[in-house]
Structures are given as structure tokens and as C-alpha cells.
Amino acid sequence: MRSKERFNQYTSGIKRAEELGMIPTLSYNRISDMVQDEGNSREYQEESAKRYAEKTNLFIVDVFNIIESAKKEGRKAFNQMLDLALYFGIKDLIFKSSDRMSRNFPDLNRIEKLVDDDDFRIHFFQDHRVFTKDSTHTDRMYLGIETTINKHWSDKISYDVRQANKHKAMNGVAPCRSPYGYRYNKEKKLHEIDPKHEKHLRYIFDEFDTGNYSITQFINHLHDKGIITKSGKKWTKGNLHGLLTKIFYTGCFTYHGETFPGTHEPYISRHRYELRLRKLESGFNGNIQDTHTFLLTKFLKCGSCGRILTGDKKKELYTYYKHECTKADHQTYLPESKVFEMLDVAVRDMRYSPDFAENVKALAKKTLNERAASNKKRKAGIQEVLENIETRRDRVIDLWADSSIDSHVVKRKLSALAAEQSILSDRLKLTYRDYDQIIYEMCDLIDELRDNPITFLSASYEEKGKLLQLMAEGAVIHGETAQILWKEPYSFLLTNDILKTKRLYEAELGKKNRLSGLSPNSLSKLPRTDSNC
């Protein structure tokens, strides 16, 4: 509650109590956790305190329903209540019993000081007992004894819990609440995978372990995907880092600084977990690899389930790319040599014949010139709207100057106009392009595509890997074929439509050559453009 709201609540509550001829009071209802027996529930305490107040001419100004332990001093809500009582001059406090008030001596000492120095009255509604500065030494002794017993009971519970937790840990059951992705089975007495959150947790682990994200980037990615925490909140660096570094997901757990093997099913292997820790310790940049360097790290993706294929080394000689496909329900291993054969087939389709290259240049020039002409109309339209915004802005200011509208309306309208103006200005900037320069760059790119495939096909695996990382975002594996996802500007000239047109053009060219009497031998010398991609 905001301080202003609380101030108004207390002042109006005290005033109402005075009007009714009643005594203002505060009620404190404490439970240690969400699971409490009926006699200690917050609802029971609140209703009982209300009935007690009605019978004893007390008017409850505020109710503190709190989940906190009374074992140690420094309770935030408890001390906040006492501070508010002092500030507003409220002398009466209602508790269920001394056990609900305190289980430690520093808190009891503060209560006794308030009673003796500030005339506070402490009400225990369970036995209709009131502790005041006029209470006898016997009453004080009883309260001290009760606090001692309460403390002893708390200590005993803590000891019993520690012993039970130690026994659970020695038997492979983590003595803690089930983390995100698990639930506790009371009958089997073990943590088991929670199907409600399993899909999202596996996605988090698999996607982050690709190494494509920093912590901050991955948080934004999860927000875009609508994946939230177990409590329904958005991810932060702290809770995401805690999730990614929790050893529990490897099938182990830590208790009092010691690691124990658990009976619960793991989500990831210990090896994968340690690689992730190394990556996070490096600064969250996702650049730590295994002991081997793979040419197509983070480059290959399964066309069925979308998972990244990771490199693997067999007998320190044979390189494979593997992943566990969630769609096919099995692990796929692709030899590196097979992957490069599939990529070679896809790259062959890049090459343009001289005639087709000139046609593409002419088409690109025509398209860009048409777009430039169209942009002139767009610029004129945007300029007109911007001028209209200026007119509307002047009109709003004139209305304000004439006192026709107040300043709040003026600020709101001017803010809306400024936002609209900013969007249109950004659009206007996009229309100012040097189309001649773009045409020159496009022609150079087309010439590059006439030669690149030859360079690529004759290169070593290492050189091919570097070229692909430079020119492409990645490659999608579909069974026996690979689809390369080209980066800009290559993606503009390597779309399926252009590649399909190229194949049709070259097929027509081949037909004309055959009709012209060229021999099969001469045709075989033409650049290869066949592809299964």
C-alpha cells in the first residue's frame, strides 16, 4: 500500500473510532507458510480478532496478514506495525497468542518497552488476556516463560526438519521444493518431471545451449515467445541465470554445500551442464565450445524440429553433426562429409550463366528505377501529411493561448502529434536512397555470383565453412537435402523464384543449343546448374 493511501486509511480509521466512542487498534495475524492448520490460518485469526474487538470496544484500523517466521528478530511487517502504531498514537495491538506475537526475546523486549514507556496494551484474543504496564510480575513471568517455550518449540522443529532433510538427502531426495520443470510426488516421495512445464524448460535449455544468445538477448527472446517463469512473471537476469546454473537438472542436488546423487530424472547431462557453466563464466557471450572446433558450429538446423545440430567427434577421427529430433523421436548422426556434399548441391544453384546474369541486371535496374519513381509520390504524400501536422500543432497552441483548452489537453495532443511526426519522418528518410549506387552494388553482386560457386566447390572443408559463415545465416537439413539461408544481400538474388526462373531459362537455352546442332560433348562443357535443392 502506498504511504499516502495508508496515511488516509489510518487518519480516517482513528477519526471513525472516536466518532463511535471506540478505541483504535491494529491486528496482527501471522502464519509461517501457506500450509497451516485451521487454528492458525489467517482467516481464523482475522475473524477471531474481529469478534474479540467487537466485544471489547476496539475498532480495528488496519489488519496485518503476514507470512513470516517469529523465530528470529528483524521481522519486517512486525516492526512496521509497531512503528506505525507509535507514529499514529495507536496503543492497542491484537494477537492470537504470545506464540503468534513472538518466538524470540528481542521482539519480546521491544513489546515490553512499548508497554512500559508508551502505555501500549497487548491483547491475546485466544484466552482474553491483556498485557499492560499494570500487569503483575507473575503475568510478566508467564509471558517470559511462554516465549521461552515458544523458542524451544521453534528450535525443536528446526532440529527435526534438519534431521529429516539430512535423511532425505542421504537417500537421494532433494530436501527442497521442486524447481521449475519438476513436481513432488508425495506417494513415491520423489521429484518427478512436471509435464505442465517440461516443454518450455526443454526449449529453454536447448535454445540457450545453441550459443546464439547472451543472457540479455535470451531474456528478450523468451519474452517474444511468451515463455514466463513458474510464478507467472517475466524473466530477469538473476532468475534465468539461477535456472541455467542449477545442478538439480543434471539429476544431482546440493545440500549444505555438499553434492548428492538424486533419484529424480535429469533434463540434461553433467557434461552439457559443465559446458554451459564455462560459457556463462566467459561473459554470457556463448562462444565456449567443446575441446574440438567444428566447422559448422551453430550453423545447421533440423528442418523437422528446428533444433541445432551439434558437432561430435568419434575416435578423435570422424566428425559428425547430431541432434535428438523431437519429431522423429530418435537421434540423428550426419557425417561431416555427407553434410558438405548436401551443401555443394545447394551451392551449385548459385551460379549464373553470363546471359542470365545480364538479364537479372536489367531486371534489377528496371525494378529499382520503378521504385524510385514510386517513391517520389510517396515523399510528396508524406510531406503533405507532415505539413498538416504542423498546422494542427499551431491550432492546438492557439486554442491554449485563447484559454479554450487546458494545459493537460495541450500536452496530450502535442505528444500524440510528435509521435505521429516521428514515425512519418522515419518513413521519409527511407525514401531518400541513392538508387544509382544500389544498381552498381547489385551488378557487382551478380558478377560475384557467376564465380563464387566455382571457388566454393574447389575449396577445402575448412574454406567452405568460412565462406558459408560469411555469406549465410545457416542451413536447414531436410532428409538428404540442405537449404541454405543466405544473408543479405545474397538472399535478394537467391530466392526460390529467381532460382526457378534461372533453371527454366537455362533449360530453354539448352533446348535452343540442341536445335542449333551442338553436340552432347559441347553441352557438357556448359556450367553445371542442376540441383535437387
Side-chain angles (χ1 to χ4, degrees), residues 115-116 131-137 139-140:
V115 168
D116 292 334
F131 179 69
T132 70
K133 69 177 182 179
D134 295 325
S135 295
T136 66
H137 66 279
D139 293 330
R140 290 175 180 270

Side-chain angles (χ1 to χ4, degrees), residues 265-298:
E265 181 182 351
Y267 270 88
I268 58 174
S269 67
R270 187 66 177 267
H271 176 67
R272 180 175 167 184
Y273 170 78
E274 290 172 352
L275 287 177
R276 183 189 297 163
L277 290 185
R278 288 169 53 201
K279 178 169 61 179
L280 290 169
E281 290 169 0
S282 71
F284 308 157
N285 293 320
N287 295 321
I288 298 296
Q289 297 178 345
D290 205 342
T291 53
H292 300 283
T293 300
F294 298 98
L295 301 176
L296 299 174
T297 296
K298 309 173 195 174

